[in-house]
Amino acid sequence: MTTAEIQAAVKAIYEQQVNAEFGKGRYALFFKPGTYGTPEKPLLIDVGYYTEVVGLGRSPGDVVINGHVNVYNRCLGTDDKGNPSNCIALNNFWRSASNLTIKVAGGKDCQAVTNFWAASQAAPMRRVDVNGKFSLMDYCSAGPQFASGGYIADSRVTGTDVVVSGSQQQYMIRNSEIPGWSNGVWNQVFSGVKGAPATSFATTGPDGKPANPYTTLPTTPVSREKPYLYLDAAGEYQVFVPGVKTNSSGVSWANGPESGGKTLPLSGFFIARPSDKVATINSALSAGRGILFTPGMYDIDQTLLVNKPGTVLLGLGLATLTAQGGAVPVKVGDVSGVSLAGLTIDAGPVNSPVLLQIGNNGGAGGNASDPVALHDVFFRIGGPGVGKATTSLIVNSNNTLLDHIWAWRADHGDGVGWSINTADHGVIVNGDDVTATGLFVEHYQKEQLIWNGERGQVVLYQNEMPYDPPTQTAWMNGALLGYPAYKVNNSVNAHQAWGLGSYIFIESGADIHATHGFEVPKKPGVKLTSLLTVQLNVGHGTIDHVVNQTGPATIPPADQKEGSTVVSLKQYPE
């Protein structure tokens, strides 16, 4: 295909998807190994909702884009002169880019020679090699706007300019390489990132205000990269499932294709389409086949049962599974090595007890050398329409890896209201030795996250409390005001977490309080580092303490920089 043909195709998809926040279109743009565009005639790819841009090489260098792969602010209107207005990035969700090299070229005005990825939750970059300027804030489309919740893994940025974080309120970057980082707003976490800034969370800068809120771990405790589809030298499609790493840093592909994983031929997969019945997909699962969900919307009226070790469920183009009739869309048994990746799971109008369950109730599944892993799995309660689910994700299996999860009870869209899109909890972890890297849980009506397992590890946790409690009486946890964003059960003896933020915004106008953002047992083995609470709108909504009875009440942020902080658990009275 010529550059002009590709440009026309991607432009048509973008124009359809740029404002389709709750639309039904799902697209994957696959690039076979090769070079696309030239510095003189660059390929400019703008990425809208439910669009995945993917290279099909074994390594990111096998697919080279001379040009851009951009996410800009979404402009919702025009001013009286016809210029774009009401441009925002806070709702730039549900899109991704992976497994390719971007040699930044082309563009006009302030867009020239800078690749923009002004995205918020559920918009990951993985296995991307950016050669040139890279900004996570769009300062072109009607000026900078806040973005929230980004995630980058196994990626590299080369050049002399630092990565521009700009207006990103919080960000997670894992096992990557960067030339530096420009700034932070509330919470920026680096785990196993070469070139990352030193930890400076809650320290004071020369202006007397908090310095950049960085939390840096030199290595990632436990990780497994996301499985990916590729074309081998013979032109055959394969799926590569990376192996488990402990205490790692940098990209997995620095010295060529990574080793230690396994290659699965496409013949071992059932290629699912939205028209397929659940019973047909379950037959393939029971026969030991993986599932490749092609882009689209899938109605799930009975549970997809994953009971074979090593099964891979890989969604393409943000494939979406919607519960029907109160069904539990997916259950994984007490088996090892299962990977679920690239899937969005929606609640339906009839309440589901859970949307995804990992391991049987009371089971002892889980394997440290071959764990169950979730990558880019997103949950929605409301938004596209009425949705109800008691809990979005329950993890019973030990050693499970949660690598970029967004569990979202919708605060806007269709089917939204305190008694309409009902949901108690986002995530409940019962298994031991579970590790989460990039855990985003928002707006649930009771405890957002409950952690019952031992030796859990969380690297970045981002939360917003529910926007819509109508009264304080409607949002009470016994004698406590409201519910915590993050609760570790009192029976837990060991738990560790880094980079935790909870924010409160009340749109009902009621005076709503939460007793604390985080609730944990006061035990030597429970260690939290870099905690933050923020009041987002003046006069409505207060988190009275950061963690238990420690940390001051939230105050409105000045210049979006200040919040209430607790640097570490060591500040506790033991």
Side-chain angles (χ1 to χ4, degrees):
M1 298 173 69
T2 66
T3 299
E5 289 174 320
I6 300 170
Q7 189 72 71
V10 299
K11 181 181 179 183
I13 291 172
Y14 177 73
E15 289 177 348
Q16 176 180 316
Q17 297 300 112
V18 60
N19 291 314
E21 183 174 356
F22 298 111
K24 295 183 178 181
R26 300 289 186 274
Y27 291 91
L29 306 179
F30 290 111
F31 289 81
K32 291 184 177 181
T35 299
Y36 297 83
T38 66
E40 296 77 23
K41 294 183 178 180
L43 176 60
L44 306 178
I45 304 172
D46 293 341
V47 186
Y49 285 102
Y50 310 111
T51 303
E52 181 180 25
V53 182
V54 186
L56 287 172
R58 183 68 170 82
S59 295
D62 294 337
V63 173
V64 177
I65 307 292
N66 284 295
H68 295 252
V69 180
N70 283 327
V71 177
Y72 292 117
N73 293 334
R74 175 186 169 201
C75 296
L76 303 179
T78 56
D79 61 20
D80 55 5
K81 297 181 180 179
N83 298 315
S85 66
N86 193 18
C87 299
I88 62 172
L90 282 172
N91 294 351
N92 279 351
F93 311 139
W94 305 309
R95 64 200 78 194
S96 68
S98 63
N99 203 29
L100 46 79
T101 294
I102 305 168
K103 291 187 175 180
V104 183
K108 60 182 180 180
D109 303 327
C110 67
Q111 297 173 0
V113 301
T114 299
N115 198 94
F116 292 94
W117 193 261
S120 292
Q121 285 90 343
M125 267 194 168
R126 294 180 180 269
R127 295 174 59 81
V128 175
D129 194 2
V130 181
N131 302 163
K133 294 182 179 180
F134 185 47
S135 177
L136 304 172
M137 170 186 68
D138 174 9
Y139 45 76
C140 290
S141 301
Q145 298 295 322
F146 285 103
S148 171
Y151 182 89
I152 293 174
D154 202 22
S155 295
R156 180 173 67 189
V157 180
T158 57
T160 57
D161 291 352
V162 300
V163 176
V164 177
S165 176
S167 57
Q168 285 286 350
Q169 293 169 336
Q170 60 273 315
Y171 218 89
M172 169 77 184
I173 181 166
R174 177 183 66 71
N175 288 80
S176 295
E177 298 180 17
I178 58 175
W181 196 262
S182 66
N183 68 292
V185 178
W186 292 331
N187 197 15
Q188 317 269 307
V189 178
F190 308 85
S191 181
V193 178
K194 296 182 178 180
T199 294
S200 59
F201 188 87
T203 58
T204 302
D207 59 357
K209 293 184 177 181
N212 287 319
Y214 300 151
T215 303
T216 299
L217 285 69
T219 61
T220 301
V222 187
S223 62
R224 184 175 213 162
E225 300 303 336
K226 180 181 177 180
Y228 59 91
L229 183 70
Y230 75 96
L231 275 170
D232 66 17
E236 298 293 330
Y237 284 99
Q238 314 279 355
V239 172
F240 186 74
V241 181
V244 180
K245 296 181 291 185
T246 57
N247 300 317
S248 61
S249 65
V251 298
S252 66
W253 42 269
N255 299 311
E258 62 270 52
S259 58
K262 58 183 178 182
T263 297
L264 305 175
L266 198 62
S267 59
F269 285 79
F270 176 78
I271 311 301
R273 294 169 175 81
S275 58
D276 291 323
K277 295 183 180 299
V278 175
T280 303
I281 301 174
N282 265 333
S283 294
L285 287 168
S286 65
R289 300 179 73 183
I291 308 295
L292 224 61
F293 290 93
T294 58
M297 305 280 290
Y298 294 75
D299 289 337
I300 306 298
D301 57 4
Q302 57 180 294
T303 302
L304 293 170
L305 299 170
V306 184
N307 291 314
K308 301 289 185 180
T311 302
V312 176
L313 276 66
L314 179 59
L316 308 177
L318 289 100
T320 302
L321 314 180
T322 302
Q324 301 295 323
V328 175
V330 185
K331 281 187 178 180
V332 178
D334 293 330
V335 292
S336 62
V338 172
S339 295
L340 291 88
L343 291 170
T344 299
I345 305 178
D346 284 356
V350 178
N351 187 75
S352 296
V354 60
L355 297 179
L356 172 59
Q357 180 175 308
I358 305 299
N360 297 320
N361 292 328
N367 185 328
S369 63
D370 194 18
V372 175
L374 279 61
H375 311 274
D376 304 338
V377 177
F378 311 132
F379 302 90
R380 298 190 297 190
I381 315 290
V386 174
K388 300 174 184 288
T390 305
T391 304
S392 289
L393 171 63
I394 295 177
V395 179
N396 294 318
S397 293
N398 300 330
N399 300 290
T400 301
L401 300 180
L402 307 177
D403 181 39
H404 190 214
I405 304 295
W406 187 32
W408 184 61
R409 175 181 169 263
D411 60 294
H412 66 278
D414 292 333
V416 173
W418 185 253
S419 60
I420 299 172
N421 60 327
T422 53
D424 287 351
H425 311 293
V427 180
I428 297 176
V429 177
N430 298 317
D432 294 337
D433 302 294
V434 172
T435 297
T437 50
L439 187 53
F440 302 82
V441 185
E442 296 192 298
H443 310 307
Y444 289 81
Q445 294 172 295
K446 294 185 178 179
E447 295 93 347
Q448 314 274 307
L449 167 70
I450 299 176
W451 206 288
N452 298 316
E454 287 288 356
R455 298 176 299 281
Q457 299 181 102
V458 176
V459 185
L460 189 134
Y461 177 78
Q462 186 260 326
N463 165 264
E464 285 184 356
M465 291 184 169
Y467 285 5
D468 54 346
T471 64
Q472 186 71 68
T473 302
W475 198 49
M476 292 290 292
N477 180 16
L480 296 179
L481 303 175
Y483 290 82
Y486 188 115
K487 176 180 172 63
V488 178
N489 194 295
N490 286 334
S491 65
V492 173
N493 294 307
H495 184 89
Q496 197 161 6
W498 301 262
L500 313 173
S502 179
Y503 317 137
I504 190 165
F505 179 100
I506 300 299
E507 60 186 5
S508 66
D511 182 18
I512 303 293
H513 287 248
T515 296
H516 42 231
F518 303 89
E519 181 180 327
V520 300
K522 296 180 181 178
K523 297 180 180 180
V526 178
K527 302 176 182 179
L528 307 183
T529 300
S530 303
L531 298 93
L532 171 77
T533 57
V534 176
Q535 182 189 81
L536 297 179
N537 58 337
V538 177
H540 300 295
T542 303
I543 303 173
D544 293 335
H545 300 282
V546 177
V547 51
N548 294 0
Q549 299 301 308
T550 297
T554 51
I555 57 174
D559 300 323
Q560 299 291 305
K561 290 280 285 185
E562 296 176 1
S564 301
T565 60
V566 169
V567 176
S568 76
L569 193 70
K570 293 179 181 178
Q571 293 189 0
Y572 260 89
E574 291 294 343

